[in-house]
Amino acid sequence: MGKFNLSKVQEILRSMKFDGWILYDFRGSNDLALAIMDISPKTHLTRRMFYFVPASGTPVRIVNAIEAHNMAHLPGDEIRYSSHKSLTDALGRTLKGFKKLACEYSPLNAIPYCSRVDAGTIEYLSSFGVELHSSANLITLLDAIWSKEQYEENKSVAKNLHLICQDAFKLIGDSVKSGTQITEWGVQEYILKRFKEKGMWTDHDPNCSVNENSANPHYTPSPESSKQIKKGDFVLIDLWAKTEREESVWSDITWVAHADTSVPEKYSNVFEIVKQGRDAAYNLVVDRLKNKQNIMGFEVDDAARNIIEKAGYGEYFFHRTGHSITTQLHGTGPHIDNFETRDERLLLPGVSFSIEPGIYLRGDFGIRSEIDVFVDWNEVPEITGGAPQQFVPALLA
């Protein structure tokens, strides 16, 4: 996340009507708080630590006497404790007079990505008379908003990702036409080679899956188990990448194609349903933001899912519609989800996320159509990298 910015944190706290933020960690249990406090996850942490940031005024570091150095870089006063009594005394003095506080907590664990503080600690903090509320939207503003530099850098990544995807499909078509053997693994290796040529990097290998393998959303080919791609096969390619710069952000897309001279209706019909769900989700974001209305992640999921359910394929769409995109592929911002969780975080200016509904017919084929969306600082959404897929291409036509 970078160096702790006190003035920015306090400005956000005031704008969201919080009295303060209580950041807590025990033995690395709260990775979100550690990132905000600019404490490396590799740091040797063995005792409880609290960092209280009031909406106005001086923060307070409450740290065990033997680990005070871990928080020394943070602005504010320091209270060192050793016994559990001295910790309780320190928290009592620090929190006195404050009411509405943020912490990494999600009521009923609705958004588990932001739920890091255990129930016992919630009870402990509440005993000081404070009201604890989720810091989810605070974290979005601090950790999930793209900078203009990140946005500009991502343009070429997104463009190249689309180009490499189309070139991979061309490789498949040319190979099948000429009778040259091509496998899922071979396509994956081709994509990785192109990433390297373009100065792009990925944390996990991309996915090329054929026929029934495409019905497994997280299938990954290997040299030992990789299907040969033949005429008449259905092919799904899912690929994601960024530059090697630590602060760069990701692009992530999925396209499908058919290795023949024409596309059977069973593929084109299912694709049309998935496409309609994808477009319904994106159009909802466009309409809400155009009319200056709030939009939350779960609502976008509903828009896509309703289309697929009405078409009779609801049971075959068994994952959330999309995920936050930041310096992490599945980032700390709002996810497009009212299925695995109910994500009530706002889609704020500067966030990016995927929209990727799918229908998976196990043992036969699966179709997913994935786009990346960026909401600019004027609250105008855009699809990054290029136009979304509109039909299933016949690679031998």
Side-chain angles (χ1 to χ4, degrees), residues 244-257:
E244 293 193 53
R245 194 174 71 90
E246 184 177 354
E247 290 304 309
S248 68
V249 292
W250 291 84
S251 285
D252 181 12
I253 59 172
T254 305
W255 283 56
V256 295

Side-chain angles (χ1 to χ4, degrees), residues 9-310:
V9 171
Q10 290 186 318
E11 179 184 352
I12 293 171
L13 285 170
R14 290 191 294 271
S15 71
M16 301 189 75
K17 310 300 183 186
F18 281 108
D19 295 328
W21 193 348
I22 184 74
L23 293 154
Y24 161 79
D25 179 74
F26 177 59
R27 300 180 65 140
S29 61
N30 191 345
D31 57 320
L32 299 174
L34 293 179
I36 291 160
M37 295 187 291
D38 196 30
I39 296 175
S40 170
K42 297 180 181 179
T43 304
H44 185 52
L45 303 168
T46 67
R47 302 295 193 276
R48 287 178 286 183
M49 63 169 68
F50 295 84
Y51 186 45
F52 178 62
V53 184
S56 299
T58 304
V60 179
R61 306 186 300 270
I62 301 175
V63 60
N64 190 277
I66 67 172
E67 293 189 344
H69 57 283
N70 287 331
M71 300 181 75
H73 63 287
L74 293 167
D77 298 332
E78 180 178 276
I79 301 176
R80 298 190 182 188
Y81 77 91
S82 52
S83 67
H84 64 83
K85 183 179 183 303
S86 61
L87 172 60
T88 297
D89 289 344
L91 284 167
R93 296 198 309 272
T94 300
L95 300 180
K96 186 177 181 180
F98 295 95
K99 196 67 175 176
K100 184 181 178 182
L101 303 185
C103 74
E104 287 64 67
Y105 151 73
S106 179
L108 299 178
N109 200 30
I111 308 174
Y113 316 103
C114 298
S115 189
R116 294 292 189 273
V117 181
D118 63 278
T121 300
I122 293 293
E123 293 170 349
Y124 181 44
L125 291 171
S126 298
S127 73
F128 296 102
V130 299
E131 296 175 358
L132 297 173
H133 298 262
S134 177
S135 62
N137 282 322
L138 289 169
I139 292 169
T140 296
L141 286 168
L142 283 168
D143 196 38
I145 302 297
W146 287 15
S147 68
K148 292 186 177 175
E149 179 184 11
Q150 288 171 321
Y151 170 74
E152 291 298 327
E153 182 181 48
N154 181 259
K155 284 182 180 179
S156 62
V157 173
K159 181 179 178 180
N160 285 330
L161 204 68
H162 278 74
L163 176 65
I164 292 169
C165 183
Q166 302 313 311
D167 287 350
F169 280 127
K170 185 176 186 302
L171 172 68
I172 293 170
D174 290 347
S175 298
V176 174
K177 283 180 183 178
S178 66
T180 304
Q181 179 171 308
I182 184 75
T183 65
E184 297 168 322
W185 170 258
V187 175
Q188 177 178 287
E189 291 298 290
Y190 169 80
I191 292 171
L192 290 170
K193 176 184 175 183
R194 294 294 306 279
F195 282 177
K196 187 174 182 179
E197 292 172 357
K198 295 291 186 180
M200 294 159 61
W201 174 85
T202 187
D203 58 346
H204 292 91
D205 291 343
N207 166 19
C208 174
S209 51
V210 172
N211 298 335
E212 69 275 12
N213 289 339
S214 64
N216 176 357
H218 281 181
Y219 171 78
T220 302
S222 68
E224 297 75 29
S225 60
S226 176
K227 290 178 73 71
Q228 183 177 345
I229 306 173
K230 305 181 296 297
K231 182 178 179 180
D233 284 345
F234 179 82
V235 185
L236 179 149
I237 293 178
D238 184 1
L239 64 169
W240 52 95
K242 56 181 279 186
T243 71
E244 293 193 53
R245 194 174 71 90
E246 184 177 354
E247 290 304 309
S248 68
V249 292
W250 291 84
S251 285
D252 181 12
I253 59 172
T254 305
W255 283 56
V256 295
H258 188 243
D260 212 329
T261 56
S262 62
V263 179
E265 284 190 357
K266 73 172 186 176
Y267 300 129
S268 57
N269 289 346
V270 171
F271 177 82
E272 183 62 26
I273 296 166
V274 171
K275 183 186 79 169
Q276 288 176 11
R278 178 199 71 196
D279 293 349
Y282 177 68
N283 290 337
L284 178 66
V285 176
V286 172
D287 292 344
R288 285 284 189 87
L289 295 179
K290 182 179 179 180
N291 291 299
K292 305 301 180 184
Q293 297 174 331
N294 287 339
I295 179 75
M296 292 178 275
F298 81 91
E299 296 175 291
V300 185
D301 181 277
D302 285 347
R305 198 168 302 278
N306 287 343
I307 296 292
I308 293 174
E309 288 179 347
K310 287 177 182 177

